[in-house]
C-alpha cells in the first residue's frame, strides 16, 4: 500500500509530516507532497498512491479532477 500525504502543515499542526515518518518507520510506503510547484497529476502519476490524505482546505480543482479520473485511489480528508 502506498500512502501520499498532502502537506497541510501549519502553525497549529504538523500531522502530515509526523504521520508520513511514523508510517515509513513501520515499513509503509508513505510519501509527503510538499512542493506546490508539482501538480496533483504529476505527483500521483509518479508515486501511484493507493491512498491520498489531505485537509479539506487544501483540495484544489486538479486534485478533484485527478481523483475522478483515477477512482482506484482512496481519499482521506481531515
Amino acid at each position: 500500500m502506498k500512502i501520499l500525504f498532502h502537506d497541510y502543515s501549519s502553525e497549529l499542526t504538523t500531522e502530515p509530516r509526523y504521520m508520513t515518518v511514523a508510517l515509513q518507520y513501520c515499513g509503509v510506503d508513505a510519501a509527503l507532497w510538499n512542493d506546490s510547484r508539482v501538480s496533483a497529476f504529476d505527483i500521483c502519476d509518479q508515486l501511484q498512491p493507493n491512498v491520498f490524505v489531505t485537509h479539506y482546505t487544501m483540495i484544489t480543482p486538479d486534485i478533484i479532477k485527478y481523483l475522478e479520473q483515477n477512482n482506484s485511489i482512496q481519499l482521506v480528508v481531515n
Side-chain angles (χ1 to χ4, degrees), residues 20-29:
T20 301
V21 173
L23 288 170
Q24 289 171 342
Y25 184 75
C26 294
V28 175
D29 190 358

Side-chain angles (χ1 to χ4, degrees), residues 25-70:
Y25 184 75
C26 294
V28 175
D29 190 358
L32 185 67
W33 174 27
N34 59 359
D35 188 345
S36 62
R37 297 172 298 173
V38 177
S39 73
F41 284 83
D42 290 340
I43 195 70
C44 288
D45 283 346
Q46 177 185 349
L47 298 179
Q48 299 181 352
N50 303 103
V51 178
F52 178 66
V53 181
T54 190
H55 191 270
Y56 77 96
T57 61
M58 300 291 289
I59 297 175
T60 60
D62 66 322
I63 292 171
I64 292 171
K65 186 179 286 189
Y66 190 87
L67 293 175
E68 286 177 341
Q69 294 174 5
N70 297 280

